[in-house]
Amino acid sequence: MTEPILRVENLTKTYGDLEVLKGVSFDVYPGEKKVFIGPSGTGKSTLLRCINLLTEPDGGSVYLNGEEVTNSGRKINDYRQKMGMVFQNFNLFDHLTAVRNVELALLKVKKMGKKEAREKALFELERVGMLDWADHYPAQLSGGQAQRVSIARALAMDPEVMLFDEPTSALDPELKREVMEVMRKLAAQGMTCLVVTHEMKFATSFASEILLMEKGEIIERGKPEDIPTSPSFERMRAFMGAYTEE
């Protein structure tokens, strides 16, 4: 049996008296698409940030390809290169063009030469349908275009896993679709993905497994096709139905 590419064991995080993550555990196998849903403020985004070590967990462990990356002394940038992160608000540098936004980490982190970095950046922009906008600044792009550039920036590091933290929440409905299509394309190419979203239709059509989080814990999890009929998913059906009606 294939070994998990990512293993999360008993991850905890507390802010003051608020226990945001209460011992979250799961495995992710190559090519899987795990989608996390649940009420706002229940720890989903914190979970992704702890996995990527943008936020330091208080307890528990994260393993990538069998190697522990929490509390291991491993260079954090080496690990983050293998865990691409896409944020809900794009996080592009406004003073840089799209291609320069993608190039930057290749030059600074991967120490590529300028010619190689430019070729790689243009390749990734083409991959997400943004090659024609390579010389545009973020202010000249729609929200959907800016998010696609941020996906290209993450892909340029050749990650083994992509983390998407509500990647469409800041977008109008018509712009959400273009970002979702890019994500579907990446998944079809075999990319391993962890996604936090409130887009229920996307979750059910995209996910290998949906995990419902509530109050810092995974309370239900299962394949999308099993959720409508199985008695094990009453809470998940109620949440998804309520959110769809809003």
Side-chain angles (χ1 to χ4, degrees), residues 25 31 44 87 93 123 130 132-133 152 161 174 180 213-214 216 229 233 238 244:
S25 300
K44 304 183 301 297
F87 303 89
F93 292 104
F123 171 80
M130 286 299 296
D132 290 343
W133 288 267
V161 180
E174 62 185 27
M180 292 174 186
M213 288 189 67
E214 202 162 64
T229 56
F233 301 114
T244 302

Side-chain angles (χ1 to χ4, degrees), residues 3-7 28-33 51-52 63-67 69 74 77-85 110 127 154-164 186-187 189-194:
E3 292 296 314
I5 188 172
L6 182 72
R7 171 162 285 170
V28 184
Y29 289 86
E32 268 198 308
K33 305 173 292 293
I51 291 172
N52 201 36
Y63 297 86
L64 182 67
N65 289 320
E67 181 179 356
V69 296
R74 180 175 177 162
N77 283 335
D78 291 346
Y79 172 56
R80 286 184 184 149
Q81 287 181 48
K82 297 182 179 182
M83 300 284 290
M85 185 85 175
K110 287 210 165 185
R127 193 174 172 187
L155 289 173
M157 305 305 286
D158 296 321
E160 297 182 35
V161 180
M162 285 285 287
L163 310 178
F164 294 91
L186 293 177
Q189 293 169 353
M191 179 62 73
T192 305
C193 300
L194 274 64

Side-chain angles (χ1 to χ4, degrees), residues 48-119:
L48 291 195
R49 293 181 66 88
C50 285
I51 291 172
N52 201 36
L53 301 184
L54 292 172
T55 296
E56 185 176 352
D58 295 327
S61 303
V62 178
Y63 297 86
L64 182 67
N65 289 320
E67 181 179 356
E68 185 176 4
V69 296
T70 41
N71 307 313
S72 65
R74 180 175 177 162
K75 291 181 179 178
I76 197 165
N77 283 335
D78 291 346
Y79 172 56
R80 286 184 184 149
Q81 287 181 48
K82 297 182 179 182
M83 300 284 290
M85 185 85 175
V86 177
F87 303 89
Q88 55 185 302
N89 292 318
F90 324 138
N91 286 11
L92 298 177
F93 292 104
D94 291 336
H95 65 291
L96 298 179
T97 62
V99 69
R100 289 284 291 131
N101 264 282
V102 179
E103 281 180 342
L104 189 61
L106 296 174
L107 294 167
K108 301 293 186 182
V109 178
K110 287 210 165 185
K111 307 298 182 184
M112 281 187 181
K114 289 184 178 180
K115 183 175 184 293
E116 185 184 7
R118 175 56 60 106
E119 289 175 353

Side-chain angles (χ1 to χ4, degrees), residues 225-241:
E225 59 268 27
D226 295 333
I227 293 169
T229 56
S230 173
S232 302
F233 301 114
E234 287 187 21
R235 177 68 186 101
M236 194 178 291
R237 283 197 297 274
F239 174 79
M240 296 175 79

Side-chain angles (χ1 to χ4, degrees), residues 157-211:
M157 305 305 286
D158 296 321
E160 297 182 35
V161 180
M162 285 285 287
L163 310 178
F164 294 91
D165 185 12
E166 300 199 37
T168 63
S169 65
L171 304 178
D172 293 334
E174 62 185 27
L175 300 179
K176 291 179 180 182
R177 285 191 289 272
E178 63 188 60
V179 173
M180 292 174 186
E181 279 307 306
V182 168
M183 294 171 66
R184 287 190 176 99
K185 181 179 177 182
L186 293 177
Q189 293 169 353
M191 179 62 73
T192 305
C193 300
L194 274 64
V195 183
V196 169
T197 187
H198 284 109
E199 301 291 335
M200 295 302 119
K201 289 183 179 179
F202 174 72
T204 55
S205 66
F206 179 82
S208 305
E209 182 180 43
I210 298 177
L211 301 94

